[in-house]
Amino acid sequence: MASAFRLSLKPKVSENMTHLMVDFSQERQMLQTLKFLPVPKAPEIDPVECLVADNSVTVAWRMPEEDNKIDHFVMEYRKTNFDGLPRVKDERCWEMIDNIKGSEYTLSGLKFDSKYMNFRVRACNKAVAGEYSDPVTLETKALNFSLDNSSSHLNLKVEDSCVEWDPTGGKGQESKIKGKENKGRSGTPSPKRTSVGSRPPAVRGSRDRFTGESYTVLGDTAIENGQHYWEVKAQKDCKSYSVGVAYKTLGKFDQLGKTNTSWCIHVNSWLQNTFAAKHNNKVKVLDVPVPEKIGVFCDFDGGQLSFYDAHSKQLLYSFKTKFTQPVLPGFMIWCGGLSLSTGMQVPSAVKTLQRSENGMTGSGSSLNNVTQ
């Protein structure tokens, strides 16, 4: 409003008044009826009660003393490769799970791509959250590997965790590239030009690239000890593929299962359907349905390689041998693609089956007693 319309009010009192008094009696009564909640104490995580299994982590805790005013708990976790509290600047941030009503919580469906995980918990009432518990570190080791693009067959399009048949690769692609290079004025190709089929130079021991009819790609991490597990899923239109392990000495023309340096199961749906275990060019036909996803269990020290239906954990076949060298996960693919799941612990169901089988297989042993 314009300044001409502004009013200024000033209180006037008589000279006989000695003081002014404000009545806060109603507010005082309201304050006296308020009930304040104490800040909850920090919970205590019990590492003995925590469980790491089947790519799940169950964290259990308790309060130092009974507190019936607690409404819920908040749990935070983060992955780390350090045993203890992370000390590096680029450590991953805490992730939070809120509104937990009980005194334990299970995180499931995890990929164990770090050696450890840190956990901490705090209690909350209706008014305030308490302090965090002391962090607890749990071990979450599992085999993590990618597919080795540097030595795969040129007809395979390889990424970290998937491989696809690429009919445009190989000699046809190379001849196209060479033809384009020959059209230039200089014999030296332009460094700015790269082809779809071009690949980086080999970095693992300078081994030769697989060629011929060995449409093979290996994992980039060798297994030298322990028990490990991974899963493989084929595309629906996949015509032929093999899954297994091989020594590093597998030749560039060698197909999985056709030498004494590789073990695999082979699936073929081209012309006729075949599901078989292969080793040293010997074949054992498997009289079981081909699962949607195959689980591979490798017990290096125990000399066992087993294949499972990844969903039902039904044993498909087991090789018994004695590994004399480190082995690499191996995959062979023709017309189709495979996707790979790593960072997995050995499932509890597989461990139970291994104990019950105790070296026996659900199939015949015709391929197991081959001299290495």
Side-chain angles (χ1 to χ4, degrees), residues 202-219:
V203 295
R204 194 195 64 209
S206 298
R207 70 160 293 142
D208 291 331
R209 189 181 293 282
F210 289 103
T211 189
E213 294 185 355
S214 180
Y215 304 113
T216 303
V217 59
L218 300 177

Side-chain angles (χ1 to χ4, degrees), residues 232-238 241 291-294 333 337-339:
V232 181
K233 183 177 181 180
Q235 294 177 355
K236 291 184 178 180
D237 60 346
C238 193
Y241 64 93
E292 180 183 355
K293 183 181 287 188
I294 296 173
I333 182 74
L338 298 175
S339 60

Side-chain angles (χ1 to χ4, degrees), residues 60-233:
W61 58 87
R62 59 175 177 267
M63 295 300 295
E65 58 185 46
E66 186 177 354
D67 187 349
N68 58 9
K69 303 296 183 182
I70 292 177
D71 178 68
H72 65 277
F73 295 91
V74 175
M75 184 180 77
E76 293 189 349
Y77 66 94
R78 60 180 169 187
K79 298 180 179 181
T80 179
N81 287 315
F82 297 89
D83 184 5
L85 288 178
R87 304 180 183 87
V88 293
K89 294 181 180 179
D90 59 346
E91 191 59 46
R92 305 182 192 184
C93 297
W94 291 98
E95 297 186 53
M96 184 178 69
I97 306 294
D98 199 358
N99 201 32
I100 302 172
K101 295 298 183 180
S103 58
E104 69 173 37
Y105 189 84
T106 299
L107 282 170
S108 57
L110 297 170
K111 179 178 181 180
F112 288 165
D113 51 4
S114 63
K115 294 181 180 179
Y116 306 96
M117 289 182 69
N118 298 131
F119 296 88
R120 64 183 186 182
V121 181
R122 63 176 175 178
C124 305
N125 55 34
K126 293 291 186 180
V128 67
E131 294 293 327
Y132 279 104
S133 64
D134 291 333
V136 169
T137 301
L138 301 178
E139 189 176 37
T140 57
K141 287 197 299 185
L143 176 66
N144 283 275
F145 66 89
S146 299
L147 299 176
D148 182 12
N149 179 48
S150 66
S151 61
S152 64
H153 195 286
L154 283 172
N155 280 105
L156 299 181
K157 181 181 178 181
V158 178
E159 296 182 3
D160 287 344
S161 60
C162 62
V163 54
E164 290 186 357
W165 166 260
D166 180 12
T168 64
K171 294 182 179 179
Q173 187 69 18
E174 288 178 340
S175 61
K176 290 180 182 179
I177 297 171
K178 289 180 179 179
K180 290 181 180 179
E181 291 176 354
N182 292 335
K183 290 181 181 180
R185 296 181 180 179
S186 172
T188 305
S190 170
K192 295 182 180 180
R193 294 185 179 181
T194 57
S195 67
V196 176
S198 64
R199 297 172 186 262
V203 295
R204 194 195 64 209
S206 298
R207 70 160 293 142
D208 291 331
R209 189 181 293 282
F210 289 103
T211 189
E213 294 185 355
S214 180
Y215 304 113
T216 303
V217 59
L218 300 177
D220 63 359
T221 302
I223 298 173
E224 300 179 353
N225 53 57
Q227 297 181 345
H228 307 281
Y229 180 84
W230 61 95
E231 293 181 351
V232 181
K233 183 177 181 180

Side-chain angles (χ1 to χ4, degrees), residues 239-253:
K239 294 292 189 295
S240 177
Y241 64 93
S242 299
V243 178
V245 299
Y247 290 150
K248 294 181 178 180
T249 55
L250 184 70
K252 66 178 182 178
F253 293 100

